[in-house]
Amino acid sequence: SVVHLSADIPVLLRSFLAMTTTSPDAGTVLAQSHGAVTVLTLSYAARRNALSMPLRAALHTQLEQAMADPECRAVVLTGEGGHFCSGGDISSFGGVTPASGRARMQRVHAIVRLLVRGEKPVIAAVEGHAAGAGLCIAAACDVVVASREAKLSCTFNKIGLFPDLGGAWSIPLRMGLGRAKLLMMTGRVMDAATAAQQGLVDQLAEPGQALADALAMAQEMCAVSPLSNGMLKSVLARGPMPLEDLLAAETDAQAVLYGSEDFHEGREAFLAKRKPVFKGR
């Protein structure tokens, strides 16, 4: 059903985010803990994990819970059935209007903000296709690990739409403006090796190994100070900034970290030549 724009957008947002589903027929997100790593799996295999409205709601809920979980230090986002995500669920666009479409975008932006601004590393593990909004979700993650057989595309113009889920921000940051324009304006499909050469993919994996490699990377990130990683991600999420603004942010971040238990533990462990035990405080 279509939700029409109301003057009370926050009410609409809360009602949307409260939606959850456990039915694979409608799409959902499965969560599994691997020590300090939470693996979130987009689960809508019948449509290559297209972003149905229930799946979007479940993804927001699971991301929010992972970011708030003190036992979680990193998140891996992947898809089931040999594909990452085929993009938006085209069947859900019936009857959409300018007003309801605007509200639809405002709701899904909550997911983008969690991926970009949430203070825990998020690694995308990509097998198969990452298309349209699926590519934009992957690009919003901190690191993209992709199978050598993965295919990446930004095909919004093939149905007459604008790249959403922050893609027009995240993709140029990864690839550079010219390459991003070429990818988005042609709608061409890019192989993983080319995507890695151009910065859209950060690490290649053997077919079927993207999740395992992403998990290993996430566990490596879990071994260092979560406060340090969180502060770094928070500053970088502000995007490119003038040097003076960056130096001011650096000063504020470092001052906070100087007072943390993790800094004192890290210093003492370094001097004692032992492995530090960080507690995130």
Side-chain angles (χ1 to χ4, degrees):
S1 62
V2 174
V3 178
H4 292 281
L5 187 64
S6 163
D8 192 355
I9 291 297
V11 171
L12 286 176
L13 180 60
R14 287 194 298 271
S15 65
F16 171 77
L17 296 179
M19 295 165 54
T20 57
T21 178
T22 57
S23 171
D25 295 333
T28 190
V29 174
L30 308 175
Q32 187 176 28
S33 294
H34 292 257
V37 181
T38 298
V39 175
L40 300 181
T41 304
L42 308 179
S43 177
Y44 195 10
R47 295 190 178 176
R48 294 184 176 181
N49 308 318
L51 297 173
S52 66
M53 300 305 280
L55 189 148
R56 295 180 188 205
L59 178 57
H60 178 272
T61 297
Q62 296 288 7
L63 276 172
E64 194 171 50
Q65 290 176 355
M67 291 297 172
D69 182 0
E71 301 300 317
C72 172
R73 292 194 178 183
V75 176
V76 172
L77 182 62
T78 192
E80 72 173 8
H83 293 283
F84 183 73
C85 176
S86 61
D89 184 2
I90 305 302
S91 67
S92 71
F93 285 96
V96 68
T97 67
S100 64
R102 183 176 173 82
R104 177 190 183 110
M105 294 314 308
Q106 288 171 327
R107 294 192 297 265
V108 78
H109 286 168
I111 295 171
V112 179
R113 291 187 179 97
L114 282 168
L115 292 172
V116 174
R117 295 180 180 172
E119 293 189 6
K120 293 177 182 179
V122 183
I123 302 170
V126 178
E127 298 278 355
H129 283 275
L135 174 61
C136 296
I137 284 181
C141 295
D142 299 300
V143 180
V144 178
V145 177
S147 160
R148 295 182 185 276
E149 295 182 351
K151 304 294 182 183
L152 301 95
S153 58
C154 193
T155 52
F156 293 88
N157 54 5
K158 293 190 175 181
I159 58 169
L161 289 178
F162 183 91
D164 58 21
L165 285 131
W169 178 83
S170 60
I171 295 174
L173 280 178
R174 287 181 162 275
M175 303 180 70
L177 186 58
R179 287 172 170 174
K181 285 181 178 179
L182 179 60
L183 178 69
M184 293 189 284
M185 290 181 174
T186 60
R188 64 176 54 170
V189 177
M190 181 176 288
D191 63 81
T194 302
Q197 291 171 354
Q198 298 191 4
L200 191 55
V201 166
D202 302 299
Q203 180 172 305
L204 292 173
E206 294 305 313
Q209 292 299 305
L211 177 56
D213 288 2
L215 265 173
M217 182 186 294
Q219 289 161 352
E220 186 178 355
M221 292 178 179
C222 291
V224 300
S225 169
L227 290 181
S228 179
N229 276 348
M231 197 70 75
L232 173 65
K233 184 170 177 179
S234 177
V235 171
L236 293 179
R238 303 176 196 180
M241 64 184 81
L243 175 61
E244 290 303 321
D245 291 348
L246 184 280
L247 292 177
E250 173 189 300
T251 298
D252 293 341
Q254 202 74 310
V256 171
L257 292 173
Y258 278 141
S260 69
E261 291 183 24
D262 276 3
F263 166 64
H264 292 288
E265 165 64 11
R267 178 179 179 275
E268 291 175 7
F270 178 83
L271 294 174
K273 298 182 180 181
R274 62 173 174 81
K275 185 176 179 180
V277 179
F278 294 116
K279 298 180 180 179
R281 58 177 186 247

